[in-house]
Structures are given as C-alpha cells and as structure tokens.
Amino acid sequence: MSEDKQDVQAEQPLSELLQIRRDKLRQLQEEGLDPFQITKYPVTAHAQEVVDQFDTCEGQTVSLAGRMMSKRGMGKAIFCDLLDGSGRIQIYVRIDELGEEEFARFKKLDIGDLIGIEGEVFRTKRGEISVKVHQLTLLSKSLRPLPEKFHGLTDKETRYRQRYVDLIVNPDVRRTFVIRSRLMKHIRQYLDARDYLEVETPVLNTISGGATARPFITHHNTLNIDMYMRIATELHLKRLVVGGVERVYEIGRIFRNEGMDPKHNPEFTTIELYEAYTDFHGMMELAEGLISSAARALLGGYQVQWLGQEIDLAPGWKRLTMIDAVREYVGVDFGTITGADEAVKAVESAGISMEGKPHTWGNALYEAFDQRVEEQLIQPTFITMYPVEVSPLSKRSPADGRLTERFELFVCHSEIANAFSELNDPIDQRGRFEHEIALRDAGDDEAGMMDDDYITALEYGMPPTGGMGIGIDRLVMMLTNSDSVRDVILFPTMKPIVDA
C-alpha cells in the first residue's frame, strides 16, 4: 500500500480503521491463512546483527522476524522498515521475487503487522543495508494502528499507560530499559566479585519497620491478621549479619503509601547491602566505586547529563559533614551552637521554618540542610554525620552523641544513596524504637514500630557493620537523563481512567 493511501487511512475515524483491519483478518481466515494459528517461525539472524556484520552477511540468505514499521513506494517494488528486538533494518519486496499472488497479499498488510521474512542481504544503490525478500509470512495481525508516524506517541499519560506502544514507536525508551537491565547485571557482578551473597527477604511483614514511611496494609485471611508490605529490607538483612552472613545484599521492590511526583512512585526498586567489620566510610568507598564503574561500563565514561546539568561521576567525590554543609551554604555555624533554643533561633533568623518540628538542636540542623542546602548539591556529594533525631537505626558518633555515623549521597539535588554505621547496641535500639512508638501515638503514621524479634537478634550480638541503600530508579534516571521516575519504570502506578 502506498504512503498516500496510508495517509488517507490516518484521517478516518478510529472505529472505521479498527473495522478495516478486522475485515482484513476475517478475509485471511476465510482463505485459510489465519496468522494466529502460526506457532513459531525460524529466525536465523537479527536486524542489528546483520547491520553490524554486513561484511560477512552480504549475499547470505537470512531469516528475520519483526514488526513492519513503514512502507515506501508503490507498484511492483516496495521498501519497508522491519523492527525486531535488536533494532531496525530495511527490507525490499518485489513482485518478481514473491510472485503476483503473494505480492498482492503483502500490499494489503498494515503498518504494525508482525511478519517473518527470508531473503538475501545486500546494499542498495544509496548505500543502505537491506534484505531482498524471497519469502514473506504474516505472523500476527495488528488490529490497532500505531501512532501517526510523524508525531509518534508523545502524550506522557498515554505512554505510561500503554508502555507496549511506547516501546514500539520510541527507540530511546527501549534504550532506557536496556540500560536499566544492564545496570542490575553490573551491580550483581560488582558485589558478587566482593563476596557478597544475594538473598530474598519477605515482602509481607507483621510490623512496619526499617524506615520511616507510611505503609500499605493488607489482611492475611488464614492467620486473620493485618500485614504490611515492606517499606525496607533492612531489618531482615541485618538479622542475617547477626547469623554470620558477613556480606549480604538484596535487590527488591519496596512499597510506600506516599505521594507521587517526578522522583517518587509508590513501589520502587532498591538495593540494600550490609558488610560486617566496616563502617559508613567503607560504604562511601563502595558507593563511589559501584556507581562510577557503572557509568563507565554502561555509557563509556564518567560524564552524564541530568536535569539540565553536566555531572562528573569520576571518582573523588566531595564529602561534607552536615554541619560543614550548613555553614557553607546557609551561613549558620552549628559547631559553635550547643543549646536547642539557640539553634532554633539561629535557623529561624535565616528564614528556615521549624513549624511542626520538635525544637531540638538536631532538628534545627536537619531543617537547615533540608530546606536550604540539598537543592544546591549538583555534583556527587556525600553529606555525613546526621542528627540522631532523623536516624533511628544509625550508630551514634563517639565524638558527638547528638550525631550519627550516616551519609546520604546527593547528585543534582536528588538523594541517590543512604548509608550508616549500623546501630548494634540493642539497648539504644530499643530506646529509639520506643521513641518511634511515641511519635506514632502522637499521630505520626509514618513512624516506625517496635520489632522485638530484631532486638532479640541484636542481643545475640551483631558485629560492627556498614549498611547502605541505593535507589535503583533514581540511579537509572541519572544514567539515562530522565526527568521523571515514571520514565524508568516500565509500568508506573497510574490513576485509573474513569469512564464519563
């Protein structure tokens, strides 16, 4: 079918287009050529393979299968683009190769139909690598038209809801998820080479713990109890460290019943890892090595673009204590402030709100950072030594009990990783759980709960341990220059469409 006829079809109502395609299918079925009865097709090569290895493939007969993405020309010879899982290649279809009857059937095919072709690899006079088709088989009939060729699928809502179409018509989307898959492979190889053990821990828990977040609650019918979808994998993994698994990690889905924005989705993927006999400094070295090596392996270098910024991921990332960061970016020196009242007064004088926050030295320090500093951190920066008030599972600093041995890694004012020298004092841990319970009783539904079994585990003795969590989705956002978490999740959470 010529391009002119395709354009005429594009102007017809969608319902009519659907009917036309169904009529074509019915005609094929009546002729005994139902494509949906075909169960397999012998594929001997892929599009990108033929292009990359043209010197050895030229003149050879190959068999490919994929989706027909365009038709150009008319009369007795037609060029098409064939899209398979590796990429695109041009195919050349002539009436004298297929025969009049088969060529007539081919001309009735639609953009989007899945076909199998057998033919000879050659280069056109214009220099384009192509396959001259000797035999063509319709493998599946596309009953819906793809988005109009010049505009593609551009509406983001539709792209996220119909990711299958998005992947067909937007090549960059496919690249994003290829990078995501390769990143996961790289992470596993990096950690496995360092003697880490990958494990799986429960998604359903009888308590909500391991982080501060509002959980999803479900009900177990047989046990007749409410259960919580996990908001972190932390507490189970640290139980394994107690049990003697000295290096352990899990890549898994996390569920938090929170709002949605360009950086947050209710379910997301993290990696959490724990290593005995190291601390948060060891975790900084691991984070820098893992992420910088991933950029080099997947992108070919350390330079990336993200959120309109040029980012340099070469090792040697900046490290600042939270006190130093607030001094540098806000101008308030918490190193010389000791009392809570003085701290609150100092940050409020700098225009920082403490509304709804307990008036403590640590909360004042954190709010100064959260409201003024985080947004200014563009290049990779480790912020260390967080207040104990916002770090319920982190070990206190021996030098200053108001602070904890914790860091967060920021790139382009986005948190990428969070790590601690893990709290292994069961008495201190119980006290912090009790503080979380008090917050929950006061109405904070994101506060944690008491985990008596975890306390019991700590009472058996957990070695000094460094632990870290990395958000896979944000890491993929950075490596693919994506500005929304929905761009890097194949099927993001969407509000249901309600019929009028």
Side-chain angles (χ1 to χ4, degrees), residues 68 71 78 80 93 102-109 136:
M68 188 167 62
K71 295 173 75 175
I78 296 176
C80 303
V93 185
E102 288 297 323
F103 189 76
R105 287 198 185 100
F106 163 71
K107 291 181 69 175
K108 293 180 181 179
L109 297 185
L136 187 147

Side-chain angles (χ1 to χ4, degrees), residues 335-346:
T336 62
I337 297 173
T338 57
D341 291 342
E342 183 184 0
V344 171
K345 182 178 179 180

Side-chain angles (χ1 to χ4, degrees), residues 181-436:
S181 178
R182 291 176 179 170
L183 172 65
M184 305 287 261
K185 182 178 180 180
H186 177 85
I187 290 171
R188 287 187 166 97
Q189 290 175 336
Y190 191 92
L191 294 175
D192 292 348
R194 287 157 179 77
D195 295 326
Y196 276 78
L197 179 70
E198 183 176 10
V199 300
E200 295 174 295
T201 61
V203 171
L204 291 175
N205 296 283
T206 55
I207 67 168
S208 173
T212 299
R214 183 182 298 112
F216 286 97
I217 304 174
T218 186
H219 188 79
H220 193 294
N221 291 334
T222 300
L223 297 177
N224 193 28
I225 59 172
D226 285 341
M227 300 193 77
Y228 302 87
M229 298 184 73
R230 67 184 180 193
I231 60 173
T233 55
E234 179 170 352
L235 299 186
H236 281 100
L237 293 175
K238 288 196 286 191
R239 284 175 170 90
L240 298 179
V241 177
V242 171
V245 185
E246 294 182 352
R247 299 187 179 195
V248 62
Y249 73 94
E250 180 174 9
I251 298 175
R253 301 291 275 183
I254 302 298
F255 307 88
R256 297 185 180 180
N257 196 354
E258 300 171 338
M260 298 187 295
D261 61 37
K263 293 182 182 179
H264 295 88
N265 194 66
E267 57 176 310
F268 55 97
T269 303
T270 68
I271 176 171
E272 287 202 35
L273 57 92
Y274 296 87
E275 180 177 338
Y277 309 114
T278 191
D279 62 3
F280 76 132
H281 292 290
M283 292 296 103
M284 273 189 270
E285 296 295 335
L286 187 64
E288 185 174 294
L290 174 61
I291 295 172
S292 64
S293 66
R296 187 179 66 248
L298 302 179
L299 307 179
Y302 297 119
Q303 309 302 314
V304 300
Q305 289 187 334
W306 189 31
L307 302 177
Q309 302 287 341
E310 297 286 342
I311 308 298
D312 184 1
L313 295 176
W317 298 350
K318 187 175 182 179
R319 304 181 184 193
L320 281 175
T321 68
M322 186 173 287
I323 288 177
D324 287 342
V326 169
R327 181 189 299 116
E328 179 177 335
Y329 290 97
V330 183
V332 177
D333 187 358
F334 274 79
T336 62
I337 297 173
T338 57
D341 291 342
E342 183 184 0
V344 171
K345 182 178 179 180
V347 298
E348 288 184 337
S349 296
I352 295 162
S353 172
M354 290 292 295
E355 183 178 356
K357 305 295 181 181
H359 284 196
T360 67
W361 180 91
N363 280 324
L365 171 61
Y366 180 74
E367 289 304 316
F369 170 78
D370 187 53
Q371 295 182 36
R372 288 291 183 83
V373 179
E374 181 177 329
E375 64 184 12
Q376 302 184 65
L377 302 177
I378 303 301
Q379 298 303 323
T381 305
F382 291 108
I383 300 296
T384 68
M385 310 306 290
Y386 274 59
V388 69
E389 289 92 332
V390 295
S391 310
L393 296 166
S394 181
K395 183 173 286 191
R396 293 176 189 267
S397 166
D400 188 340
R402 299 172 300 177
L403 300 173
T404 64
E405 292 196 339
R406 172 187 176 188
F407 76 75
E408 286 185 312
L409 169 63
F410 291 91
V411 181
C412 246
H413 45 78
S414 299
E415 177 197 337
I416 301 295
N418 185 21
F420 311 145
S421 296
E422 297 297 331
L423 178 61
N424 61 346
D425 180 345
I427 297 172
D428 190 355
Q429 183 64 81
R430 181 177 291 277
R432 298 201 208 178
F433 277 153
E434 289 172 349
H435 175 69
E436 290 292 302

Side-chain angles (χ1 to χ4, degrees), residues 25-43:
L25 173 62
R26 185 172 61 254
Q27 182 179 351
L28 288 168
Q29 291 169 334
E30 290 172 353
E31 295 173 357
L33 299 172
D34 186 352
F36 297 125
Q37 290 188 358
I38 297 175
T39 58
K40 64 179 181 179
Y41 186 81
V43 174

